[in-house]
Amino acid sequence: MAPSKPKVLLIIPAFNERDNIGPLLLSLREQGLEALVVNDGSTDDTAEVCASVGANIVTLPSNLGIGGAVQTGYKYAYAHGYDIAIQFDGDGQHRAEFVHALIAPLLDNAADLVIGSRYIEKQGFQSTVLRRAGIRYFSRLIRLITGQTVTDPTSGFRAVNRRIMHMFATQYPTDYPEPESIVHVLRSGGRVVEVPVQMSERVGGHSSIHHLRSVYYMVKVSLAILIDALRGHGVRHS
């Protein structure tokens, strides 16, 4: 008897993404990919655009930020019995052609969290100079804390199995969660693997991280990671 096909859900957090979300959802549907849009209290017509293309959407009553929006998606995926959940940006930067490469290590039971990295083959959009400096900083910090090198720790293009799905549904960092959540997974004994992907530049709208906010981001996430390490959170287990 052939093994059953895993249930895979793309979680798309969206805040004021009306310029990007419609074409993205139609493209994903054409490729046979199932998606949930978590509309994070958008003040534009993101929800209306999603409804017009028949998208599966959860609208939050207020803006929770990326952490709260993504955690909502993980809660939904876990409660509805999905085997794999993929975080996928709503701004057009992530490319669906790499979804199958992203979930392959999960299907082979070789990883619990798979990160799509721009910096393995270094092709496609590489982000801004300021962000690349931040990425290198967090890569070094994660290696210092966990002993594992992660080349693209701020990548929001990630896939998890049910074990990590449950972990993230239960507890997930609020602001700028990617580096901190990687540390949580590693310190709980989870296996983190990176695969090469290419990303595109944002099509429309504006990013929520820029200039002084980038400094706040680095300080806040660094403190959260260091406090987590000092308290010994997430004792390793088999």
Side-chain angles (χ1 to χ4, degrees):
M1 183 177 178
S4 60
K5 185 178 179 180
K7 291 181 62 178
V8 180
L9 181 70
L10 273 65
I11 299 167
I12 305 178
F15 176 69
N16 292 348
E17 292 289 1
R18 66 180 178 187
D19 296 331
N20 306 309
I21 199 70
L24 171 64
L25 291 170
L26 291 174
S27 173
L28 294 177
R29 182 177 299 167
E30 289 174 357
Q31 297 178 64
L33 296 170
E34 186 177 354
L36 170 73
V37 177
V38 182
N39 178 31
D40 190 21
S42 295
T43 57
D44 66 1
D45 56 354
T46 293
E48 288 76 7
V49 172
C50 291
S52 72
V53 298
N56 188 13
I57 181 171
V58 172
T59 295
L60 302 178
S62 61
N63 180 254
L64 297 183
I66 183 65
V70 171
Q71 187 179 34
T72 298
Y74 284 125
K75 287 177 179 290
Y76 180 99
Y78 190 78
H80 288 79
Y82 287 89
D83 302 297
I84 293 172
I86 301 172
Q87 185 179 335
F88 195 93
D89 282 358
D91 58 13
Q93 294 193 77
H94 296 164
R95 293 162 62 171
E97 68 218 61
F98 293 100
V99 163
H100 294 296
L102 197 70
I103 67 175
L106 299 177
L107 297 177
D108 292 338
N109 195 30
D112 301 296
L113 164 64
V114 183
I115 301 169
S117 173
R118 295 160 281 191
Y119 303 113
I120 295 176
E121 295 182 349
K122 296 185 178 180
Q123 296 179 351
F125 179 60
Q126 301 288 294
S127 194
T128 64
V129 173
L130 180 61
R131 289 196 187 184
R132 289 199 300 272
I135 287 165
R136 288 192 295 270
Y137 165 78
F138 282 120
S139 180
R140 295 188 183 109
L141 181 61
I142 290 172
R143 185 170 65 243
L144 176 66
I145 298 297
T146 69
Q148 179 164 333
T149 298
V150 178
T151 65
D152 201 352
T154 68
S155 172
F157 193 15
R158 317 194 302 169
V160 302
N161 60 17
R162 276 192 66 81
R163 179 199 163 194
I164 304 304
M165 197 189 305
H166 180 256
M167 176 189 293
F168 287 170
T170 305
Q171 181 180 11
Y172 199 68
T174 304
D175 292 326
Y176 318 117
E178 287 82 10
E180 189 179 348
S181 61
I182 292 170
V183 173
H184 284 335
V185 171
L186 288 171
R187 288 175 62 80
S188 70
R191 300 161 300 167
V192 176
V193 170
E194 290 185 288
V195 297
V197 301
Q198 295 178 32
M199 297 187 189
S200 304
E201 196 166 1
R202 169 182 276 272
V203 177
H206 302 282
S207 172
S208 61
I209 305 176
H210 50 82
H211 303 303
L212 291 178
R213 197 165 181 81
S214 296
V215 177
Y216 167 76
Y217 163 53
M218 293 181 68
V219 172
K220 182 181 186 301
V221 175
S222 297
L223 288 174
I225 290 173
L226 291 170
I227 290 170
D228 179 68
L230 289 173
R231 73 162 60 129
H233 176 79
V235 177
R236 288 182 177 273
H237 57 81
S238 59

